[in-house]
Every structure is written in structure tokens, then in C-alpha cells.
Amino acid sequence: MKRYLTIFVFIVVCFLLQTTLFTSLQIANLVPNLILVVTVSAGLLYGRKAGMFAGVICGLLVDLLYGSVVGVSVLMFTVIGYGCGAASKLYFEDDLIVPLAAIAASDFVYGLLYYALHFLLRGRLHLLFYIRSIILPEMIYTVIVGALLFWLLRLIDRKLHPPVEVPLHPKKPFED
């Protein structure tokens, strides 16, 4: 329960940062997708259930505030959170390559799903233009900011939830 509360607080803080501070830090009219980074981080750090929880909350925030239909972003973020949670077994605590690759792949998949659900179904078939001008630049910006954010989230997670040491040889009852 404590981890889910932590994830929720991370989501709210990153959503507020993305919608307020980072709108003034736009590069080529692109903003990094911080809530996607939180979804990926929750999946990699805590597993599939936590990734799906983060995906549902992030998707609901996006759908309720910006979407015309509730459920589209929930589906996209939940699938991404589940996929990153399934890849959590590949993640080692000191490795930064897996989280960066997961953030890049998740942002690319999110961009493709967004294109398919918002533009392709309306007859706009300029996929290569969309990939070249929106998906790839946003993915690069998200990976750069996501590296810093993931490092910060992992640091905060270590402080809030320190690892429990398990002795290899348990003490005998009368041994000091």
C-alpha cells in the first residue's frame, strides 16, 4: 500500500510539472512525457501490478483533462505499464541502460498508438512525417529528461523503501 501511495504522489507531482513548468521549457513545441516516465519507472521498480496501477492513474489524468473520450489513454498507459512491469526482471539496480531503453521504446509505442487512435482512424495517413517530426524528437527529449527523473525516482525509492538484508546463516537461539 505504501508503494502505491508513493507512485500516486510521483504521478501527481510529475503531471503538475509536465503541465506547468515544462510547458515553458518546450523545444520545437515538444514537451517531455513525464507521466510516461513515471509509468515506466513504476513498472521497472515494482512490477506488473504497480506498472498497471500507474498506467491507469496516468491515463485517467490525461483522459479526464485533455481527452475527448475516457479510456483511450488509460488503455495506452496500462499496456505500457504492464509491459515495463513484465520487463522488470531484466532490470538491475545499477543498470541505467534498461530503463533508458524502456523509456525510449515506451515513448515510441505511445506515439504510434496515439497516431493510430487519433489520426489514422480519421484518415490522416502521413505516418512517416509524424514519426520524423513528432515521435522521434519527443522520444529523444523524453529519454534525456527521463534519465534524470528515473535516477531521482530510484533515489527517492531507496530512501523510502530501503532493501531488507536477509542473513544467509541465521543465528542460533543462544548464540551471540
Side-chain angles (χ1 to χ4, degrees):
M1 184 67 180
K2 188 176 176 184
R3 290 185 189 243
Y4 289 103
L5 185 61
T6 305
I7 292 170
F8 183 75
V9 170
F10 286 155
I11 289 170
V12 170
V13 168
C14 287
F15 187 75
L16 290 174
L17 284 174
Q18 181 174 339
T19 56
T20 56
L21 178 68
F22 278 92
T23 55
S24 62
L25 298 175
Q26 292 181 357
I27 297 177
N29 289 329
L30 296 173
V31 177
N33 200 342
L34 297 181
I35 54 175
L36 182 76
V37 174
V38 173
T39 304
V40 171
S41 300
L44 286 177
L45 292 174
Y46 304 128
R48 288 182 291 206
K49 289 181 184 176
M52 288 175 54
F53 171 77
V56 168
I57 300 299
C58 290
L60 275 174
L61 280 173
V62 170
D63 276 344
L64 291 176
L65 293 175
Y66 298 112
S68 58
V69 178
V70 175
V72 176
S73 293
V74 173
L75 176 67
M76 290 190 294
F77 279 105
T78 304
V79 167
I80 289 170
Y82 181 82
C84 290
S88 68
K89 297 190 183 351
L90 300 173
Y91 168 67
F92 295 106
E93 203 167 304
D94 295 331
D95 188 20
L96 199 59
I97 294 173
V98 172
L100 293 182
I103 291 170
S106 298
D107 196 65
F108 189 78
V109 167
Y110 176 78
L112 287 178
L113 287 173
Y114 191 87
Y115 170 79
L117 295 173
H118 290 279
F119 296 115
L120 186 65
L121 293 177
R122 291 192 290 170
R124 298 182 181 164
L125 304 175
H126 305 290
L127 177 63
L128 293 177
F129 174 76
Y130 191 76
I131 288 174
R132 196 173 352 112
S133 63
I134 294 177
I135 293 177
L136 289 178
E138 181 184 321
M139 182 181 74
I140 292 168
Y141 194 16
T142 301
V143 167
I144 291 169
V145 174
L148 298 171
L149 183 62
F150 184 81
W151 175 78
L152 181 67
L153 292 176
R154 190 177 65 184
L155 183 71
I156 292 170
D157 178 60
R158 282 185 194 165
K159 297 291 183 190
L160 293 176
H161 312 287
V164 178
E165 289 188 27
V166 178
L168 294 177
H169 301 288
K171 277 184 151 180
K172 294 184 179 158
F174 300 109
E175 188 179 293
D176 269 330

